[in-house]
């Protein structure tokens, strides 16, 4: 007796189904994509019991002819490609011709479809992959697909499905992701007969994102000969960000994908803009000629291959970077007003929770928003018209923190080092933005700084780079000879400070290489300015007089972002009087 048997077609099909249809959300995704491929402008999705009992997708697309309806559920039946070459130029979501055949295999399925030009539509009913009924129906333009009792043919698999709520959440996530990329289609979603989403058609992606996620986004764009990039992102210091879970969705030719290069480009673009540890909400759309990429890598088509990953990196990085730097424009005024009202609302709510959270940052944003045109905390220029705040210095704590009572009767603990660092950083950046160079100042007597063997070698290697940053360095035996320093420092650093600056700049230069990041000069400038700012600022554990403290606090409040240092750490801790009274038990 041979041990090997050949599996029958139905078993083979059911095993293979797992690759395409994993759970109810896979069905929704495939049907929704088919509807979009069919040119629908209105799509309704109805789900019962997390999609386990029923999934219905109704579209007003081009529909199918009688013959096509009979064919569409056959294996490898597709109208989207004709030969293997076509998959390299395909722009539709589907092209494998396996979705409907697979779903039919693992459910009870009904498809009603008709075309404008025909007087009748047709209905096809299948069970366990086999045709049960085929009849004429009244005229209908478009397609309705009903999928009942998913996986009833594979009970073992059915058992692996999770709760209705879990499965619906998965479905909802897919619908949201696909809806972002198809804002010109009106999409309605019902769960157990209750309307859950109603996304009106719009020609603005911003509006669609607002509709789906409640986020106010800014737009940026960048076009090169290969890639046409559009990005949408939330203000890195926007309050909403802290309230909702972060979204980062990437699309290539409107297809949702995952890609680490794009994630990396976002991290780089937002470096020094977003508080550390906070991920900005970003939506990236890349249009790329299909021939340059290969979308056929992943069974669920989530990954895209491209010969040179820089194809993705620069368009994303540049579009974000320039949008972040140019800031808000008139068209974005509206969303900004919304941010303000959100802040005001949050402040009005008298729950102790909101009082204790974020109030300082909220007030700051509200104040700045009402006075200035500053959507981002990007330290580009220090504003001339910002006035010193109304405050009183109480003293110094632990030789490290300046204690301040502000006009709102809050107690502020300001980190003296990072406060000065923030101010110096913006001052340096401001100057660099104006002149695009870092001027140097010659030291009357060159200073010698001792260097380790390693540093000596690197200083020689990067001499030219150092001169771009205003330093004239050379090596002499075991020491580094400093002849010129950047003028913007405003003072001559001592030996120790100089030594630290040089080592840290070297670290920055080398670090970029270790990370494998492309050679982004601008990014390097920011990092090096941060180092210079850090090293020229008053250290922690330094006793200060009142006038010095006042200078530091005054300067801090002229900066664009007094709340986080260039490294992303907080500068100020606020205790509101309410909080203090509450803790003491007076309230
Ligand atoms: P694919 O989308 O990869 O071609 P499917 O199995 O999803 O494979 O669909 C098979 C074919 O059925 C499609 O190529 C298309 O011609 C037709 N079809 C499927 N859904 C629809 C729809 N909603 N409207 C019109 N035609 C459809
Ligand atoms: Mg399809």
């Amino acid at each position: 007796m041979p041990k090997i048997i050949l599996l029958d077609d139905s078993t083979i099909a059911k095993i293979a189904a797992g690759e395409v249809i994993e759970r109810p959300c896979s069905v929704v995704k495939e049907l929704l994509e088919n509807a979009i491929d069919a040119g629908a402008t209105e799509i309704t999705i109805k789900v019962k019991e997390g999609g386990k009992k029923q999934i219905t997708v109704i579209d007003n697309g081009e529909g199918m002819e009688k013959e096509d309806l009979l064919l569409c559920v056959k294996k490898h039946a597709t109208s989207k490609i004709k030969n293997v070459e076509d998959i390299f130029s395909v722009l539709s979501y589907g092209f494998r011709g396996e979705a409907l055949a697979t779903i039919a295999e693992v459910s009870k399925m009904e498809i009603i479809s008709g075309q404008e030009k025909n007087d009748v539509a047709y209905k096809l009913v299948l069970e366990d992959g086999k045709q049960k009924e085929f009849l004429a129906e009244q005229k209908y333009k478009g397609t309705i697909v009903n999928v009942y009792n998913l996986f009833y043919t594979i009970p073992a698999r059915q058992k692996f499905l999770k709760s209705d709520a879990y499965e619906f959440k998965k479905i909802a996530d897919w619908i949201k992701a696909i809806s972002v990329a198809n804002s010109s289609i009106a999409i309605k979603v019902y769960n157990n007969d209750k309307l859950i989403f109603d996304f009106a058609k719009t020609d603005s992606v911003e509006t669609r994102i607002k509709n789906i996620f409640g986020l106010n986004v800014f737009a940026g764009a960048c076009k090169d000969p290969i890639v046409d990039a559009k990005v949408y992102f939330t203000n890195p210091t926007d309050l909403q960000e802290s309230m909702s879970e972060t979204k980062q969705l990437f699309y290539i030719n409107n297809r949702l994908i995952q890609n680490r290069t794009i994630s990396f480009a976002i991290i780089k673009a937002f470096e020094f803009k977003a508080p550390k540890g906070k991920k900005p909400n970003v939506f990236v759309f890349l249009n790329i000629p299909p021939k340059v990429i290969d979308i056929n890598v992943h069974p669920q088509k989530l990954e895209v291959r491209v010969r040179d990953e820089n194809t993705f990196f620069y368009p994303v990085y540049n579009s974000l970077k320039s949008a972040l730097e140019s800031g808000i424009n008139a068209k974005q005024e509206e969303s900004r007003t919304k941010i303000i009202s959100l802040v005001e609302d949050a402040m009005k709510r008298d729950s102790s929770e909101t009082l204790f959270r974020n109030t300082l940052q909220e007030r700051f944003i509200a104040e700045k928003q009402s006075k200035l045109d500053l959507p981002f905390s990007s330290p580009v220029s220090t504003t001339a018209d910002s006035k010193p705040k109304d405050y009183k210095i109480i003293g110094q704590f632990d030789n490290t923190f300046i204690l301040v009572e502000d006009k709102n009767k809050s107690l502020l603990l300001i980190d003296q080092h990072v406060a000065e660092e923030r101010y110096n950083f913006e001052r340096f950046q401001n100057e660099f933005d104006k002149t695009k160079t870092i001027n140097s100042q010659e030291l009357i007597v060159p200073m010698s700084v001792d260097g380790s063997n390693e540093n000596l070698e690197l200083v020689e290697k990067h001499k030219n780079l150092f001169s771009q940053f205003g330093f004239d360095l050379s090596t002499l035996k075991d020491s580094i000879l400093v002849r010129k320093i950047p003028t913007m420092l405003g003072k001559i650093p001592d030996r120790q400070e100089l030594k630290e600056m040089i080592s840290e700049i070297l670290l920055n230069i080398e670090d970029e290489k270790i990370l494998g990041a492309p050679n982004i000069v601008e990014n390097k400038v920011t990092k090096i300015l941060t180092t210079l700012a850090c090293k020229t600022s008053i250290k922690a554990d330094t006793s200060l007089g009142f006038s010095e403290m006042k200078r530091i606090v005054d300067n801090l409040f002229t900066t664009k972002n007094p709340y986080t240092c260039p490294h992303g750490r907080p500068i100020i801790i606020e205790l509101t009087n309410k909080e203090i009274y509450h803790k003491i038990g007076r309230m």
Side-chain angles (χ1 to χ4, degrees):
M1 268 294 265
K3 280 193 226 162
I4 299 174
I5 54 154
L6 293 173
L7 298 173
D8 63 69
D9 286 350
S10 160
T11 309
I12 295 169
K14 287 183 178 60
I15 294 170
E19 271 189 28
V20 187
I21 304 299
E22 196 194 343
R23 52 184 352 117
C25 73
S26 344
V27 174
V28 172
K29 171 183 176 278
E30 293 293 341
L31 298 182
L32 185 53
E33 290 186 345
N34 279 348
I36 297 169
D37 283 345
T41 56
E42 281 168 27
I43 303 174
T44 300
I45 300 145
K46 294 182 176 172
V47 170
K48 292 217 166 117
E49 296 179 11
K52 293 179 227 167
K53 188 166 176 230
Q54 186 184 344
I55 295 166
T56 301
V57 175
I58 305 167
D59 72 57
N60 67 347
E62 63 177 353
M64 282 178 269
E65 298 258 29
K66 186 180 176 184
E67 292 73 18
D68 283 336
L69 178 55
L70 284 164
L71 274 175
C72 74
V73 290
K74 306 271 183 239
K75 249 176 286 166
H76 315 300
T78 180
S79 57
K80 296 163 195 174
I81 63 165
K82 292 212 162 49
N83 55 49
V84 68
E85 280 298 298
D86 289 351
I87 62 166
F88 296 103
S89 55
V90 71
L91 278 169
S92 53
Y93 284 113
F95 57 84
R96 294 162 182 245
E98 58 187 357
L100 292 181
T102 308
I103 299 167
E105 204 63 52
V106 296
S107 71
K108 180 171 181 271
M109 184 159 83
E110 260 176 32
I111 310 176
I112 300 161
S113 194
Q115 297 194 317
E116 180 80 83
K117 62 177 197 275
N118 296 329
D119 290 337
V120 284
Y122 287 90
K123 174 170 161 183
L124 172 67
V125 181
L126 300 121
E127 262 175 52
D128 197 3
K130 291 168 205 76
Q131 183 177 324
K132 289 283 155 186
E133 266 180 76
F134 186 69
L135 19 128
E137 286 269 315
Q138 68 185 58
K139 182 181 168 86
Y140 181 77
K141 190 235 166 206
T143 303
I144 302 171
V145 182
N146 280 306
V147 175
Y148 302 103
N149 303 337
L150 187 64
F151 295 137
Y152 84 101
T153 55
I154 322 174
R157 177 151 211 131
Q158 211 168 18
K159 271 191 235 133
F160 277 100
L161 297 182
K162 298 203 171 148
S163 69
D164 293 0
Y166 176 90
E167 297 297 343
F168 183 73
K169 164 101 177 38
K170 290 247 163 200
I171 291 173
D173 286 346
W174 259 111
I175 294 176
K176 288 188 206 167
I178 296 176
S179 299
V180 177
N182 291 280
S183 57
S184 59
I185 303 177
I187 296 175
K188 282 199 173 79
V189 180
Y190 293 85
N191 185 24
N192 299 327
D193 295 320
K194 203 171 138 219
L195 180 65
I196 307 289
F197 301 136
D198 188 356
F199 307 143
K201 69 179 75 166
T202 165
D203 44 22
S204 137
V205 180
E206 286 99 319
T207 309
R208 181 51 67 96
I209 292 172
K210 170 83 192 168
N211 235 321
I212 300 175
F213 301 109
L215 296 169
N216 296 305
V217 287
F218 301 95
C222 171
K223 209 175 164 153
D224 70 25
I226 298 174
V227 183
D228 185 354
K230 292 207 168 60
V231 292
Y232 301 89
F233 57 96
T234 47
N235 177 345
T237 55
D238 192 338
L239 295 169
Q240 278 177 310
E241 218 184 301
S242 56
M243 296 175 189
S244 66
E245 102 192 63
T246 315
K247 297 275 169 271
Q248 287 196 346
L249 299 176
F250 316 146
Y251 302 82
I252 290 186
N253 299 343
N254 267 17
R255 187 190 294 275
L256 186 74
I257 54 124
Q258 288 161 359
N259 184 278
R260 292 177 62 185
T261 307
I262 299 179
S263 306
F264 185 59
I266 294 174
I267 293 174
K268 284 282 150 193
F270 278 90
E271 208 165 36
F272 311 107
K273 308 277 179 193
K276 212 174 200 160
K278 279 205 144 201
K279 271 171 79 182
N281 294 288
V282 185
F283 302 85
V284 174
F285 293 87
L286 304 181
N287 274 318
I288 305 179
K291 286 196 161 28
V292 180
I293 50 175
D294 183 1
I295 47 167
N296 211 8
V297 198
H298 196 277
Q300 255 118 27
K301 292 166 258 164
L302 269 173
E303 261 162 35
V304 169
R305 241 189 338 222
V306 68
R307 200 174 300 147
D308 178 7
E309 290 281 327
N310 284 331
T311 317
F312 298 153
F313 184 90
Y314 283 106
V316 176
Y317 177 81
N318 291 338
S319 48
L320 283 169
K321 193 81 180 163
S322 57
L324 278 165
E325 245 131 57
S326 67
I328 212 157
N329 66 30
K331 196 167 158 261
Q332 290 156 336
E333 185 72 22
E334 187 202 9
S335 50
R336 197 168 54 126
T337 322
K338 282 185 201 136
I339 299 174
I340 297 171
S341 63
L342 192 103
V343 171
E344 282 166 354
D345 280 351
M347 285 168 72
K348 261 183 244 149
R349 261 181 274 126
D350 204 11
S351 81
S352 53
E353 200 204 346
T354 41
L355 275 171
F356 290 176
R357 236 189 335 134
N358 270 338
T359 49
L360 187 65
Q361 187 107 17
E362 282 167 8
R363 238 180 5 247
F364 169 71
I365 293 171
E367 266 173 36
K368 288 268 186 188
Q369 295 283 8
S370 58
K371 274 197 298 210
L372 311 163
D373 207 28
L374 275 187
F376 310 123
S377 60
S378 82
V380 180
S381 65
T382 326
T383 48
D385 70 327
S386 43
K387 294 169 194 70
K389 278 180 77 107
D390 198 2
Y391 69 86
K392 188 174 97 194
I393 288 183
I394 305 169
Q396 198 186 17
F397 170 71
D398 211 15
N399 282 343
T400 300
F401 297 95
I402 304 170
L403 303 185
V404 166
E405 178 179 342
D406 85 350
K407 67 165 187 279
N408 300 302
K409 294 241 163 269
S410 284
L411 174 63
L412 310 182
L413 287 90
I414 301 179
D415 183 318
Q416 64 198 37
H417 170 68
V418 278
E420 228 201 357
E421 186 183 36
R422 163 54 70 187
Y423 171 73
N424 281 332
F425 174 69
E426 290 196 12
R427 191 166 60 83
F428 294 171
Q429 178 114 41
N430 202 14
E431 191 175 319
F432 181 76
D433 280 349
K434 261 190 253 151
T435 55
K436 289 289 168 210
T437 49
I438 298 179
N439 293 325
S440 32
Q441 170 195 350
E442 186 143 11
L443 297 174
I444 302 171
V445 185
M447 264 161 97
S448 86
V449 174
D450 53 71
S452 66
N453 287 342
E454 209 184 43
N455 275 2
L456 290 170
E457 239 175 75
L458 290 173
V459 163
E460 276 299 326
K461 187 167 147 204
H462 297 299
K463 240 179 172 166
N464 287 338
L465 210 58
F466 271 105
S467 76
Q468 284 175 38
F469 293 110
F471 289 95
D472 180 344
L473 305 182
S474 52
T475 55
L476 191 77
K477 284 192 192 141
D478 291 346
S479 29
I480 301 164
L481 211 59
V482 185
R483 288 202 176 80
K484 287 180 186 166
I485 57 164
T487 316
M488 58 168 63
L489 296 183
K491 64 169 196 181
I492 297 173
D494 64 31
R495 217 163 243 136
Q496 184 57 24
E497 285 171 341
L498 256 177
K499 190 179 163 185
E500 283 172 13
M501 268 182 218
I502 295 168
S503 311
E504 208 163 296
I505 292 172
L506 282 174
L507 261 181
N508 283 337
I509 296 170
E510 290 291 299
D511 183 39
E512 287 279 312
K513 280 214 246 107
I514 291 161
L515 276 171
N519 189 30
I520 309 156
V521 175
E522 201 180 338
N523 183 26
K524 238 174 232 173
V525 173
T526 313
K527 276 198 167 165
I528 286 168
L529 293 182
T530 309
T531 301
L532 297 183
C534 176
K535 299 301 166 209
T536 35
S537 302
I538 288 215
K539 303 263 174 309
D541 205 12
T542 310
S543 164
L544 300 176
F546 267 83
S547 61
E548 214 161 359
M549 287 191 261
K550 186 166 184 314
R551 181 184 56 79
I552 294 172
V553 177
D554 277 349
N555 284 343
L556 177 65
F557 285 119
T558 64
T559 65
K560 283 185 167 189
N561 186 357
Y563 295 98
T564 42
C565 84
H567 297 104
R569 285 199 308 271
I571 299 175
I572 306 179
I573 297 173
E574 180 196 30
L575 291 168
T576 62
N577 67 339
K578 287 224 168 76
E579 197 173 357
I580 294 169
Y581 279 64
H582 185 87
K583 283 197 172 146
I584 290 290
R586 275 184 178 273
M587 211 170 74

